[in-house]
């Protein structure tokens, strides 16, 4: 086991390494992007990457506090499901209602890689290989559909 400080240091070191690895990659729009803290530019819609000592996940998280509006946004994403699948090259899991790390009910579309551990530096290449193509594909997808979600006026 790692101390709390050591665990925090390793997590920080991984994300710094990933950020440096991704820094030269431009967004689909040609602009510079902070891949680790990706800003969708639409309130209540987030692209998140997370990893712990068992699994890694990447997701589109819909966090509007109103369930009806959140589900409406999820339905809009479902309209683009084929486009999303084509961009990603794989199917992701769709969950209408789940709980985030803070106990809030959210909707999410996600992919998970099991059997990886952020505290094992030998797993870092696998983690980078998991996150990199998916966040780039999400960015490409988002570059095409973002105007639709901006027009929803969430």
């Amino acid at each position: 086991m790692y101390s709390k400080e050591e665990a925090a240091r390793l997590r920080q070191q991984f994300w710094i390494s990933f950020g440096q690895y991704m820094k030269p990659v431009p967004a689909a729009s040609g602009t510079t992007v902070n891949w680790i803290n990706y800003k969708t530019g639409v309130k209540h819609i987030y692209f998140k990457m997370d990893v712990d000592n068992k699994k890694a996940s990447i997701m589109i998280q819909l966090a509007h506090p109103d369930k009806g509006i959140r589900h409406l946004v999820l339905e809009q994403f479902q309209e683009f499901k084929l486009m999303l699948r084509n961009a990603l090259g794989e199917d992701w899991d769709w969950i209408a209602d789940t709980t985030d790390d803070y106990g809030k009910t959210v909707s999410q579309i996600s992919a998970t890689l099991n059997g990886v551990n952020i505290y094992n530096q030998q797993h870092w290449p696998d983690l980078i290989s998991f996150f990199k193509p998916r966040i780039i594909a999400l960015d490409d997808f988002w570059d095409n559909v973002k105007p639709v979600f901006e027009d929803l006026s969430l």
Side-chain angles (χ1 to χ4, degrees):
M1 280 313 272
Y2 294 104
S3 70
K4 208 174 200 178
E5 295 77 21
E6 179 69 6
R9 187 188 65 72
L10 278 170
R11 289 182 73 79
Q12 181 180 32
Q13 191 178 347
F14 170 75
W15 289 113
I16 288 170
S17 298
F18 182 72
Q20 289 171 338
Y21 184 76
M22 292 296 295
K23 190 173 182 125
V25 179
S29 63
T31 60
T32 303
V33 63
N34 179 347
W35 292 104
I36 295 168
N37 192 16
Y38 190 99
K39 303 285 187 206
T40 65
V42 177
K43 194 172 182 179
H44 306 299
I45 299 177
Y46 305 97
F47 293 174
K48 294 188 171 200
M49 295 178 283
D50 192 28
V51 60
D52 59 25
N53 62 350
K54 295 181 179 144
K55 66 184 181 325
S57 57
I58 184 168
M59 69 191 74
I60 302 168
Q61 191 174 80
L62 311 176
H64 198 285
D66 182 284
K67 180 180 180 177
I69 294 172
R70 190 177 62 251
H71 285 185
L72 183 68
V73 175
L74 183 63
E75 287 173 20
Q76 187 62 62
F77 268 97
Q78 287 171 332
E79 294 291 322
F80 293 114
K81 192 171 189 173
L82 183 59
M83 185 188 291
L84 179 62
R85 196 230 174 276
N86 288 340
L88 295 166
E90 62 189 7
D91 290 315
W92 282 18
D93 298 318
W94 294 65
I95 303 171
D97 294 302
T98 189
T99 306
D100 70 7
D101 295 340
Y102 305 102
K104 278 180 37 183
T105 301
V106 297
S107 300
Q108 72 183 31
I109 305 161
S110 63
T112 302
L113 175 65
N114 291 304
V116 289
N117 182 346
I118 192 170
Y119 306 116
N120 182 342
Q121 290 182 322
Q122 292 178 348
H123 289 185
W124 289 11
D126 293 334
L127 292 170
I128 290 169
S129 295
F130 175 71
F131 286 131
K132 180 184 179 185
R134 287 166 180 84
I135 193 69
I136 291 170
L138 272 181
D139 174 63
D140 186 46
F141 165 78
W142 192 241
D143 192 54
N144 291 307
V145 301
K146 179 180 177 180
V148 173
F149 292 91
E150 288 173 325
D151 290 345
L152 288 177
S153 301
L154 306 172

